[in-house]
Structures are given as structure tokens and as C-alpha cells.
Amino acid sequence: VAYYLLAGRPAFEGDSALALMYSHLHMPPPDPRAAAAEMPVLVALAIQKAAAKQPGDRFQSAEQFASDLREVLG
């Protein structure tokens, strides 16, 4: 959801529900700056961290994600 809101399009698209599910499960999250070039690098990194495949690589809470975004956006 954060990717969509900040990049203006979904992170993954597919020709079918199966293709879309496969992308969500197996593909790394794309750089949101590809869809929104004006996005600050640190915001893009926060979004990618929030969408990481491995739970240990993600923010451990929504508050941690929000705090990181607040810090980056000043």
C-alpha cells in the first residue's frame, strides 16, 4: 500500500492473478523511484525495506516504519 501511495502505481503487475502472486512471492520489490523519479532516495529505501521478503529484513512494526519516514521527510 505504501508503495502504491508514494509511487502512484502498484509495485507488481501481471497478466493474471497467478503471475501477480508469483511476483509478490519471488521478485524483489522494485525501486519505487522508477515510477516516481522525484522521490527521495531515503524514502525509496524505506519503502523497499517495508516490502522486504524476509521478515527479519523488514521494519518490526508500523510505528518503526512511520518513525523512519517522519525522520526522512523531516
Side-chain angles (χ1 to χ4, degrees), residues 3-67:
Y3 186 102
Y4 184 84
L5 289 172
L6 295 171
R9 67 177 188 85
F12 299 104
E13 297 179 6
D15 295 335
S16 67
L18 186 59
L20 187 58
M21 287 188 300
Y22 181 87
S23 294
H24 274 281
L25 290 172
H26 299 289
M27 304 299 290
D31 184 344
R33 291 175 299 148
E38 70 283 353
M39 183 181 298
V41 173
L42 293 177
V43 172
L45 291 173
I47 292 170
Q48 287 178 303
K49 181 175 180 176
K53 300 297 180 207
Q54 298 299 319
D57 295 338
R58 295 191 290 253
F59 292 102
Q60 297 306 298
S61 69
E63 178 54 38
Q64 189 181 35
F65 179 42
S67 175

